[in-house]
Amino acid sequence: MASTVEYGDVEYDDVESGSAENGSIAYDYVVVGGGTAGSVIASRLTENPDISVAVIEGGPSDVDRPDVLTLRRWMGLLGGDLDYDYPTTVQPRGNSHIRHSRARVLGGCSSHNTLIAFKPLPSDWDEWAAAGAEGWDAASMDPYFGRLRNNVVPVDELDRNAIARDFVDAAQAALGVPRVEGFNKKPFHEGTGFFDLAYHPENNKRSSASVAYLHPFLDRPNLHLLLETWAFRLELDGTRATGVRVRTADGAERLITARTEVLVCAGAVDTPRLLMHSGIGPRADLEALGIPVTHDLPGVGENLLDHPESVIVWETDGPIPENSAMDSDAGLFVRRDPEIEGPDLMFHFYQIPFTDNPERLGYERPEHGVSMTPNIPKPRSRGRLYLTSADPQTKPALDFRYFTDEDDYDGRTLVDGIKIARQVAASEPLAHWLKREVAPGPEVTSDEELSAYARSVAHTVYHPAGTCRMGAVDDEQAVVAPDLKIRGLEGIRIADASVFPTMPAVNPMIGVLMVGEKCAELLTGASGTRGADRTTGADKATGVDKTTGAAGAAGTSGTA
């Protein structure tokens, strides 16, 4: 009998479970990372009762964790004990104080973010195909959205704050953009409205990857969740990946062996980090740190992408109503260039004064306020992730190179964003709520001043991607081929945001879920040949979790 770790009413396997082979612990598939894509893949593979799957997750369960499962509490998770909290290197043209939140909990960043849920636009997928990701065009990818188990719905009427409603009306009046009800109903170029979220409005519970894909199936005997177990090195036999070296919470080291494949789903930071500590990456960089090179792959860690944003803050004329799904429920997309397919500016409307970065410059946080965050959907700057030590526990360096694109497109986009935000704020019915502009302040008007402010207070919406990008099989800078296999290796694939060749114009969580669904299909064959769907208490059509003993049972009170 395998020993177990208990969380609430649910028992999880520890690393002594599985079958022993040559002193290791063996499963058919080993999934590194129980996050957004990893949850999908593990769930889909274990639909076949003859396939055993181990999920290696560095954090604890989200079961019976209202601090995790209650969507509106997302900001309380930033920088906490469930956050890997990666710093950014010095940014000569941007904010050097940005910290990138990466979740250390079952469900990954879908247990940690705002769950804003956009299907990537057709132009996003077609851009991937044009970059060499054959089979990832919009027509090929669209069916995977329909397979998602998550409960993706527009912000509920009861969660629609009065000031957010007036923001939407003001944006429509000021800019002439269409009002959108359900951003996932059809592709859009621009528009304003309330977001779609992956949540359950009746109790503000997340419909994260873990809630939708793992919680209903925790009784599957072939699904093994190895929690608080940290993967620090891949095991290779020549060019074939055979398993993963892990460290458990008590400091013990084990080898977890994969009979069929290792699936790396650790995210855009920890996937390239794990590869490089396993000797897979740019030869010169690894040799400089004394890491033995097992496979020279120059693209690992390159092409670091993000959605940078700035912020403009207003003090409101008194408090605003309390109701909200997660305090940033509405937004705006603008297309300045009519020649492009999708939007080139995005705004989140925060029902709080979002002044963390402006305060460092001397701005004061008002007692009551709101914010707009102009965001760059298609940034042109490209960064790099690299190791600074051969010690796997040392955090990697994240150099996003914000605002370093040759034509300063990214910087100019934020300047335009602040100007457009001011247009919306000056329009009714939003204008009567606002007492004064706090940051940058109405006296800051020139493009040069606005650019300096926008870049110095720039932040992230926690969307790192691209560090193991997908491309054609003959693309030497691509880390994975269109089948998600690592170039030059066998028995290993990557499925997470690191494989993104380019950044989608929208929040990427749904895109990562769809990557997980496609990876599962690549592993098991066409959807019609999957094992029987052993659903036990989940409504497949809606993704609603109806189990008991799993996280977030009825009564749970109430970041992408």
Side-chain angles (χ1 to χ4, degrees), residues 333-385:
F333 289 91
V334 174
R335 182 172 62 165
R336 297 167 299 162
D337 181 357
E339 299 300 317
I340 64 173
E341 285 294 320
D344 55 14
L345 250 172
M346 178 186 182
F347 300 78
H348 297 79
F349 180 72
Y350 279 89
Q351 293 141 221
I352 55 174
F354 187 38
T355 57
D356 291 3
N357 289 311
E359 284 178 52
R360 197 178 57 256
L361 303 182
Y363 292 97
E364 293 185 2
R365 180 185 179 93
E367 182 179 3
H368 306 292
V370 295
S371 317
M372 290 187 220
T373 54
N375 179 288
I376 311 168
K378 289 289 187 181
R380 297 182 182 176
S381 300
R382 295 290 184 272
R384 180 171 180 256
L385 180 151

Short mmCIF file of all heavy atoms in Angstrom, two decimals, residues 333-385:
data_model
loop_
_atom_site.label_atom_id
_atom_site.label_comp_id
_atom_site.label_asym_id
_atom_site.label_seq_id
_atom_site.Cartn_x
_atom_site.Cartn_y
_atom_site.Cartn_z
N PHE A 333 -10.53 47.29 -25.19
CA PHE A 333 -9.57 47.01 -26.24
C PHE A 333 -9.70 48.08 -27.32
O PHE A 333 -10.81 48.42 -27.73
CB PHE A 333 -9.82 45.64 -26.87
CG PHE A 333 -9.47 44.48 -25.98
CD1 PHE A 333 -10.42 43.92 -25.14
CD2 PHE A 333 -8.19 43.95 -25.99
CE1 PHE A 333 -10.11 42.85 -24.33
CE2 PHE A 333 -7.87 42.88 -25.18
CZ PHE A 333 -8.82 42.33 -24.35
N VAL A 334 -8.56 48.57 -27.77
CA VAL A 334 -8.53 49.61 -28.80
C VAL A 334 -7.63 49.14 -29.94
O VAL A 334 -6.57 48.54 -29.69
CB VAL A 334 -8.00 50.94 -28.23
CG1 VAL A 334 -7.83 51.98 -29.33
CG2 VAL A 334 -8.93 51.46 -27.15
N ARG A 335 -8.05 49.40 -31.17
CA ARG A 335 -7.20 49.14 -32.32
C ARG A 335 -6.84 50.48 -32.96
O ARG A 335 -7.65 51.10 -33.64
CB ARG A 335 -7.90 48.23 -33.34
CG ARG A 335 -7.02 47.90 -34.54
CD ARG A 335 -7.62 46.87 -35.46
NE ARG A 335 -8.88 47.30 -36.04
CZ ARG A 335 -9.47 46.71 -37.09
NH1 ARG A 335 -8.90 45.65 -37.63
NH2 ARG A 335 -10.61 47.14 -37.54
N ARG A 336 -5.62 50.94 -32.71
CA ARG A 336 -5.18 52.22 -33.29
C ARG A 336 -4.83 52.06 -34.77
O ARG A 336 -5.02 52.98 -35.56
CB ARG A 336 -3.94 52.73 -32.54
CG ARG A 336 -4.15 53.05 -31.06
CD ARG A 336 -2.82 53.24 -30.35
NE ARG A 336 -2.03 52.02 -30.43
CZ ARG A 336 -0.70 51.97 -30.22
NH1 ARG A 336 -0.04 53.08 -29.94
NH2 ARG A 336 -0.05 50.83 -30.31
N ASP A 337 -4.30 50.90 -35.13
CA ASP A 337 -3.86 50.66 -36.51
C ASP A 337 -4.89 49.80 -37.22
O ASP A 337 -5.00 48.60 -36.93
CB ASP A 337 -2.49 49.97 -36.49
CG ASP A 337 -1.94 49.70 -37.89
OD1 ASP A 337 -2.65 50.00 -38.88
OD2 ASP A 337 -0.81 49.19 -37.98
N PRO A 338 -5.65 50.35 -38.13
CA PRO A 338 -6.70 49.56 -38.80
C PRO A 338 -6.15 48.47 -39.71
O PRO A 338 -6.90 47.62 -40.19
CB PRO A 338 -7.47 50.61 -39.62
CG PRO A 338 -6.48 51.71 -39.85
CD PRO A 338 -5.61 51.74 -38.63
N GLU A 339 -4.83 48.47 -39.96
CA GLU A 339 -4.24 47.46 -40.84
C GLU A 339 -3.97 46.14 -40.13
O GLU A 339 -3.70 45.13 -40.78
CB GLU A 339 -2.92 48.00 -41.43
CG GLU A 339 -3.08 49.26 -42.27
CD GLU A 339 -3.99 49.04 -43.47
OE1 GLU A 339 -3.85 47.99 -44.12
OE2 GLU A 339 -4.82 49.91 -43.73
N ILE A 340 -4.02 46.13 -38.80
CA ILE A 340 -3.74 44.91 -38.07
C ILE A 340 -5.04 44.16 -37.77
O ILE A 340 -6.12 44.73 -37.83
CB ILE A 340 -2.96 45.19 -36.77
CG1 ILE A 340 -3.81 46.02 -35.80
CG2 ILE A 340 -1.65 45.88 -37.07
CD1 ILE A 340 -3.18 46.18 -34.44
N GLU A 341 -4.90 42.90 -37.40
CA GLU A 341 -6.07 42.06 -37.20
C GLU A 341 -6.74 42.28 -35.85
O GLU A 341 -7.96 42.29 -35.74
CB GLU A 341 -5.67 40.58 -37.34
CG GLU A 341 -5.43 40.13 -38.76
CD GLU A 341 -6.70 40.16 -39.60
OE1 GLU A 341 -7.76 39.78 -39.09
OE2 GLU A 341 -6.62 40.58 -40.76
N GLY A 342 -5.97 42.42 -34.81
CA GLY A 342 -6.53 42.49 -33.47
C GLY A 342 -6.25 43.81 -32.79
O GLY A 342 -5.74 44.76 -33.40
N PRO A 343 -6.55 43.92 -31.50
CA PRO A 343 -6.32 45.17 -30.76
C PRO A 343 -4.83 45.40 -30.54
O PRO A 343 -4.03 44.46 -30.48
CB PRO A 343 -7.04 44.91 -29.44
CG PRO A 343 -7.03 43.43 -29.27
CD PRO A 343 -7.13 42.86 -30.65
N ASP A 344 -4.45 46.69 -30.41
CA ASP A 344 -3.06 47.01 -30.08
C ASP A 344 -2.94 47.81 -28.78
O ASP A 344 -1.86 48.29 -28.45
CB ASP A 344 -2.35 47.72 -31.24
CG ASP A 344 -3.07 48.97 -31.72
OD1 ASP A 344 -3.96 49.46 -31.01
OD2 ASP A 344 -2.72 49.47 -32.81
N LEU A 345 -4.03 47.93 -28.05
CA LEU A 345 -4.01 48.49 -26.70
C LEU A 345 -5.11 47.81 -25.90
O LEU A 345 -6.22 47.60 -26.40
CB LEU A 345 -4.27 50.00 -26.71
CG LEU A 345 -3.11 50.93 -26.35
CD1 LEU A 345 -3.50 52.38 -26.60
CD2 LEU A 345 -2.64 50.74 -24.92
N MET A 346 -4.78 47.44 -24.66
CA MET A 346 -5.77 46.86 -23.77
C MET A 346 -5.74 47.62 -22.45
O MET A 346 -4.68 48.10 -22.03
CB MET A 346 -5.49 45.38 -23.51
CG MET A 346 -6.46 44.73 -22.54
SD MET A 346 -6.01 43.03 -22.12
CE MET A 346 -7.37 42.58 -21.05
N PHE A 347 -6.89 47.75 -21.81
CA PHE A 347 -6.97 48.40 -20.50
C PHE A 347 -7.74 47.49 -19.54
O PHE A 347 -8.82 47.00 -19.88
CB PHE A 347 -7.73 49.73 -20.58
CG PHE A 347 -7.11 50.75 -21.49
CD1 PHE A 347 -7.27 50.66 -22.87
CD2 PHE A 347 -6.37 51.81 -20.97
CE1 PHE A 347 -6.72 51.60 -23.71
CE2 PHE A 347 -5.82 52.76 -21.81
CZ PHE A 347 -5.98 52.65 -23.18
N HIS A 348 -7.18 47.27 -18.36
CA HIS A 348 -7.95 46.75 -17.24
C HIS A 348 -8.45 47.94 -16.43
O HIS A 348 -7.71 48.91 -16.24
CB HIS A 348 -7.10 45.86 -16.34
CG HIS A 348 -6.56 44.62 -16.99
ND1 HIS A 348 -5.45 44.65 -17.82
CD2 HIS A 348 -6.97 43.33 -16.95
CE1 HIS A 348 -5.21 43.42 -18.24
NE2 HIS A 348 -6.12 42.60 -17.73
N PHE A 349 -9.67 47.86 -15.96
CA PHE A 349 -10.22 48.89 -15.07
C PHE A 349 -10.24 48.33 -13.66
O PHE A 349 -10.99 47.39 -13.37
CB PHE A 349 -11.62 49.32 -15.51
CG PHE A 349 -12.23 50.37 -14.62
CD1 PHE A 349 -11.76 51.67 -14.65
CD2 PHE A 349 -13.26 50.06 -13.75
CE1 PHE A 349 -12.31 52.66 -13.84
CE2 PHE A 349 -13.83 51.02 -12.93
CZ PHE A 349 -13.34 52.32 -12.97
N TYR A 350 -9.39 48.87 -12.80
CA TYR A 350 -9.31 48.40 -11.41
C TYR A 350 -10.20 49.26 -10.52
O TYR A 350 -10.12 50.50 -10.58
CB TYR A 350 -7.86 48.48 -10.90
CG TYR A 350 -7.00 47.32 -11.33
CD1 TYR A 350 -6.29 47.36 -12.53
CD2 TYR A 350 -6.90 46.19 -10.53
CE1 TYR A 350 -5.49 46.29 -12.92
CE2 TYR A 350 -6.10 45.12 -10.91
CZ TYR A 350 -5.40 45.18 -12.10
OH TYR A 350 -4.62 44.13 -12.49
N GLN A 351 -10.98 48.61 -9.68
CA GLN A 351 -11.84 49.32 -8.73
C GLN A 351 -11.12 49.60 -7.42
O GLN A 351 -11.72 49.71 -6.36
CB GLN A 351 -13.12 48.50 -8.50
CG GLN A 351 -14.00 48.43 -9.74
CD GLN A 351 -14.65 47.08 -9.97
OE1 GLN A 351 -14.73 46.58 -11.08
NE2 GLN A 351 -15.13 46.45 -8.90
N ILE A 352 -9.79 49.72 -7.53
CA ILE A 352 -8.93 50.06 -6.42
C ILE A 352 -7.85 51.02 -6.94
O ILE A 352 -7.55 51.03 -8.13
CB ILE A 352 -8.24 48.81 -5.81
CG1 ILE A 352 -7.49 48.04 -6.91
CG2 ILE A 352 -9.25 47.92 -5.11
CD1 ILE A 352 -6.66 46.88 -6.39
N PRO A 353 -7.26 51.84 -6.06
CA PRO A 353 -6.14 52.69 -6.48
C PRO A 353 -4.85 51.87 -6.52
O PRO A 353 -4.24 51.58 -5.49
CB PRO A 353 -6.10 53.78 -5.40
CG PRO A 353 -6.69 53.14 -4.19
CD PRO A 353 -7.68 52.12 -4.67
N PHE A 354 -4.44 51.48 -7.70
CA PHE A 354 -3.32 50.57 -7.90
C PHE A 354 -2.02 51.38 -7.93
O PHE A 354 -1.52 51.75 -8.99
CB PHE A 354 -3.55 49.80 -9.20
CG PHE A 354 -2.57 48.70 -9.48
CD1 PHE A 354 -2.07 47.90 -8.48
CD2 PHE A 354 -2.16 48.46 -10.78
CE1 PHE A 354 -1.18 46.88 -8.75
CE2 PHE A 354 -1.28 47.44 -11.07
CZ PHE A 354 -0.78 46.66 -10.05
N THR A 355 -1.48 51.69 -6.74
CA THR A 355 -0.38 52.66 -6.65
C THR A 355 0.94 52.05 -6.16
O THR A 355 1.84 52.79 -5.76
CB THR A 355 -0.76 53.80 -5.70
OG1 THR A 355 -1.10 53.26 -4.42
CG2 THR A 355 -1.92 54.62 -6.24
N ASP A 356 1.09 50.74 -6.20
CA ASP A 356 2.31 50.13 -5.67
C ASP A 356 3.57 50.74 -6.28
O ASP A 356 4.52 51.08 -5.56
CB ASP A 356 2.30 48.62 -5.92
CG ASP A 356 1.25 47.91 -5.09
OD1 ASP A 356 0.51 48.60 -4.38
OD2 ASP A 356 1.16 46.67 -5.18
N ASN A 357 3.61 50.88 -7.59
CA ASN A 357 4.80 51.44 -8.23
C ASN A 357 4.84 52.97 -8.18
O ASN A 357 5.90 53.53 -7.92
CB ASN A 357 4.89 50.93 -9.67
CG ASN A 357 5.27 49.46 -9.70
OD1 ASN A 357 6.21 49.03 -9.05
ND2 ASN A 357 4.52 48.67 -10.46
N PRO A 358 3.74 53.68 -8.41
CA PRO A 358 3.79 55.15 -8.26
C PRO A 358 4.23 55.61 -6.87
O PRO A 358 4.90 56.64 -6.74
CB PRO A 358 2.36 55.58 -8.58
CG PRO A 358 1.86 54.55 -9.53
CD PRO A 358 2.47 53.26 -9.05
N GLU A 359 3.87 54.87 -5.82
CA GLU A 359 4.27 55.28 -4.47
C GLU A 359 5.78 55.33 -4.33
O GLU A 359 6.32 56.15 -3.58
CB GLU A 359 3.67 54.32 -3.43
CG GLU A 359 2.19 54.54 -3.18
CD GLU A 359 1.64 53.52 -2.18
OE1 GLU A 359 2.23 53.39 -1.09
OE2 GLU A 359 0.63 52.87 -2.49
N ARG A 360 6.49 54.47 -5.04
CA ARG A 360 7.95 54.49 -4.98
C ARG A 360 8.52 55.78 -5.56
O ARG A 360 9.64 56.19 -5.24
CB ARG A 360 8.50 53.27 -5.74
CG ARG A 360 9.95 52.95 -5.40
CD ARG A 360 10.47 51.73 -6.13
NE ARG A 360 10.34 51.87 -7.58
CZ ARG A 360 9.42 51.28 -8.31
NH1 ARG A 360 8.52 50.50 -7.75
NH2 ARG A 360 9.36 51.47 -9.61
N LEU A 361 7.74 56.44 -6.42
CA LEU A 361 8.17 57.71 -7.01
C LEU A 361 7.67 58.91 -6.22
O LEU A 361 7.88 60.06 -6.63
CB LEU A 361 7.66 57.82 -8.45
CG LEU A 361 8.09 56.70 -9.41
CD1 LEU A 361 7.55 56.97 -10.80
CD2 LEU A 361 9.61 56.56 -9.44
N GLY A 362 6.99 58.68 -5.10
CA GLY A 362 6.53 59.78 -4.26
C GLY A 362 5.05 60.06 -4.32
O GLY A 362 4.57 60.94 -3.59
N TYR A 363 4.31 59.35 -5.16
CA TYR A 363 2.86 59.54 -5.20
C TYR A 363 2.23 58.91 -3.96
O TYR A 363 2.70 57.88 -3.46
CB TYR A 363 2.26 58.90 -6.45
CG TYR A 363 2.65 59.58 -7.74
CD1 TYR A 363 3.70 59.10 -8.52
CD2 TYR A 363 1.95 60.70 -8.19
CE1 TYR A 363 4.05 59.72 -9.72
CE2 TYR A 363 2.30 61.33 -9.39
CZ TYR A 363 3.35 60.83 -10.14
OH TYR A 363 3.69 61.45 -11.32
N GLU A 364 1.15 59.50 -3.50
CA GLU A 364 0.45 58.96 -2.33
C GLU A 364 -0.80 58.20 -2.76
O GLU A 364 -1.48 58.58 -3.71
CB GLU A 364 0.06 60.10 -1.37
CG GLU A 364 1.25 60.78 -0.73
CD GLU A 364 0.83 61.82 0.30
OE1 GLU A 364 -0.38 61.96 0.53
OE2 GLU A 364 1.72 62.48 0.87
N ARG A 365 -1.07 57.15 -2.04
CA ARG A 365 -2.25 56.34 -2.31
C ARG A 365 -3.49 57.01 -1.72
O ARG A 365 -3.54 57.26 -0.51
CB ARG A 365 -2.09 54.94 -1.71
CG ARG A 365 -3.27 54.00 -1.94
CD ARG A 365 -3.05 52.68 -1.20
NE ARG A 365 -4.17 51.76 -1.37
CZ ARG A 365 -4.25 50.82 -2.30
NH1 ARG A 365 -3.27 50.69 -3.17
NH2 ARG A 365 -5.30 50.02 -2.38
N PRO A 366 -4.50 57.30 -2.54
CA PRO A 366 -5.73 57.89 -2.00
C PRO A 366 -6.54 56.84 -1.24
O PRO A 366 -6.40 55.63 -1.48
CB PRO A 366 -6.47 58.36 -3.25
CG PRO A 366 -6.01 57.42 -4.33
CD PRO A 366 -4.58 57.12 -4.01
N GLU A 367 -7.34 57.28 -0.31
CA GLU A 367 -8.16 56.35 0.45
C GLU A 367 -9.14 55.61 -0.45
O GLU A 367 -9.38 54.41 -0.28
CB GLU A 367 -8.91 57.08 1.56
CG GLU A 367 -9.75 56.17 2.45
CD GLU A 367 -10.47 56.91 3.56
OE1 GLU A 367 -10.36 58.16 3.61
OE2 GLU A 367 -11.15 56.24 4.36
N HIS A 368 -9.71 56.33 -1.40
CA HIS A 368 -10.66 55.73 -2.34
C HIS A 368 -10.21 56.10 -3.75
O HIS A 368 -9.91 57.27 -4.02
CB HIS A 368 -12.08 56.24 -2.10
CG HIS A 368 -12.54 56.07 -0.69
ND1 HIS A 368 -12.78 54.84 -0.13
CD2 HIS A 368 -12.80 57.00 0.28
CE1 HIS A 368 -13.18 54.99 1.12
NE2 HIS A 368 -13.20 56.29 1.40
N GLY A 369 -10.19 55.12 -4.64
CA GLY A 369 -9.76 55.44 -5.99
C GLY A 369 -9.93 54.29 -6.95
O GLY A 369 -10.32 53.17 -6.57
N VAL A 370 -9.66 54.58 -8.22
CA VAL A 370 -9.72 53.58 -9.29
C VAL A 370 -8.50 53.78 -10.18
O VAL A 370 -7.80 54.79 -10.10
CB VAL A 370 -11.01 53.71 -10.13
CG1 VAL A 370 -12.24 53.40 -9.30
CG2 VAL A 370 -11.11 55.08 -10.78
N SER A 371 -8.27 52.79 -11.04
CA SER A 371 -7.10 52.82 -11.92
C SER A 371 -7.46 52.27 -13.29
O SER A 371 -8.36 51.44 -13.41
CB SER A 371 -5.96 51.98 -11.35
OG SER A 371 -5.79 52.17 -9.97
N MET A 372 -6.74 52.73 -14.30
CA MET A 372 -6.74 52.09 -15.61
C MET A 372 -5.31 51.70 -15.92
O MET A 372 -4.37 52.46 -15.64
CB MET A 372 -7.29 53.01 -16.69
CG MET A 372 -8.76 53.31 -16.62
SD MET A 372 -9.29 54.25 -18.07
CE MET A 372 -10.44 55.40 -17.30
N THR A 373 -5.14 50.52 -16.49
CA THR A 373 -3.80 50.03 -16.78
C THR A 373 -3.64 49.78 -18.28
O THR A 373 -3.99 48.71 -18.78
CB THR A 373 -3.52 48.73 -16.00
OG1 THR A 373 -4.55 47.78 -16.27
CG2 THR A 373 -3.47 49.00 -14.51
N PRO A 374 -3.12 50.76 -19.02
CA PRO A 374 -2.84 50.53 -20.44
C PRO A 374 -1.79 49.43 -20.61
O PRO A 374 -0.73 49.46 -19.98
CB PRO A 374 -2.34 51.89 -20.94
CG PRO A 374 -1.93 52.64 -19.72
CD PRO A 374 -2.77 52.13 -18.61
N ASN A 375 -2.11 48.47 -21.46
CA ASN A 375 -1.33 47.25 -21.60
C ASN A 375 -1.02 47.03 -23.08
O ASN A 375 -1.82 47.37 -23.95
CB ASN A 375 -2.18 46.10 -21.03
CG ASN A 375 -1.51 44.75 -21.14
OD1 ASN A 375 -1.40 44.20 -22.23
ND2 ASN A 375 -1.10 44.22 -20.01
N ILE A 376 0.15 46.47 -23.37
CA ILE A 376 0.60 46.28 -24.75
C ILE A 376 0.27 44.85 -25.20
O ILE A 376 0.96 43.90 -24.81
CB ILE A 376 2.11 46.53 -24.88
CG1 ILE A 376 2.49 47.85 -24.23
CG2 ILE A 376 2.53 46.51 -26.35
CD1 ILE A 376 3.99 48.04 -24.05
N PRO A 377 -0.77 44.65 -26.00
CA PRO A 377 -1.15 43.28 -26.40
C PRO A 377 -0.08 42.56 -27.21
O PRO A 377 0.12 41.36 -27.05
CB PRO A 377 -2.41 43.49 -27.24
CG PRO A 377 -2.97 44.79 -26.76
CD PRO A 377 -1.77 45.64 -26.46
N LYS A 378 0.61 43.29 -28.08
CA LYS A 378 1.61 42.68 -28.95
C LYS A 378 2.96 43.39 -28.78
O LYS A 378 3.44 44.11 -29.66
CB LYS A 378 1.17 42.75 -30.42
CG LYS A 378 0.02 41.83 -30.77
CD LYS A 378 0.49 40.37 -30.77
CE LYS A 378 -0.58 39.43 -31.27
NZ LYS A 378 -0.11 38.02 -31.24
N PRO A 379 3.60 43.21 -27.64
CA PRO A 379 4.88 43.90 -27.40
C PRO A 379 5.95 43.42 -28.37
O PRO A 379 5.98 42.25 -28.78
CB PRO A 379 5.21 43.51 -25.96
CG PRO A 379 4.51 42.22 -25.73
CD PRO A 379 3.24 42.31 -26.53
N ARG A 380 6.84 44.33 -28.73
CA ARG A 380 7.91 43.99 -29.67
C ARG A 380 9.25 43.76 -29.00
O ARG A 380 10.18 43.23 -29.62
CB ARG A 380 8.02 45.09 -30.73
CG ARG A 380 6.75 45.22 -31.56
CD ARG A 380 6.86 46.27 -32.64
NE ARG A 380 5.61 46.40 -33.38
CZ ARG A 380 5.38 47.29 -34.34
NH1 ARG A 380 6.34 48.16 -34.68
NH2 ARG A 380 4.22 47.32 -34.97
N SER A 381 9.39 44.15 -27.76
CA SER A 381 10.63 43.87 -27.03
C SER A 381 10.71 42.39 -26.71
O SER A 381 9.70 41.73 -26.46
CB SER A 381 10.67 44.68 -25.73
OG SER A 381 10.60 46.06 -25.99
N ARG A 382 11.94 41.87 -26.72
CA ARG A 382 12.18 40.47 -26.40
C ARG A 382 13.27 40.38 -25.35
O ARG A 382 14.29 41.07 -25.44
CB ARG A 382 12.61 39.68 -27.66
CG ARG A 382 11.56 39.60 -28.74
CD ARG A 382 10.40 38.70 -28.32
NE ARG A 382 9.41 38.53 -29.37
CZ ARG A 382 8.37 39.33 -29.57
NH1 ARG A 382 8.21 40.40 -28.80
NH2 ARG A 382 7.50 39.10 -30.53
N GLY A 383 13.07 39.50 -24.37
CA GLY A 383 14.03 39.36 -23.30
C GLY A 383 14.67 37.99 -23.29
O GLY A 383 14.63 37.23 -24.26
N ARG A 384 15.26 37.69 -22.12
CA ARG A 384 16.03 36.45 -22.00
C ARG A 384 16.02 36.00 -20.54
O ARG A 384 16.11 36.82 -19.62
CB ARG A 384 17.46 36.70 -22.46
CG ARG A 384 18.39 35.51 -22.40
CD ARG A 384 19.71 35.83 -23.08
NE ARG A 384 20.61 34.68 -23.04
CZ ARG A 384 21.65 34.57 -22.21
NH1 ARG A 384 21.93 35.56 -21.36
NH2 ARG A 384 22.42 33.50 -22.22
N LEU A 385 15.90 34.70 -20.33
CA LEU A 385 16.03 34.08 -19.00
C LEU A 385 17.31 33.26 -19.00
O LEU A 385 17.58 32.50 -19.93
CB LEU A 385 14.81 33.21 -18.73
CG LEU A 385 14.73 32.46 -17.40
CD1 LEU A 385 13.27 32.26 -17.00
CD2 LEU A 385 15.43 31.09 -17.46
#
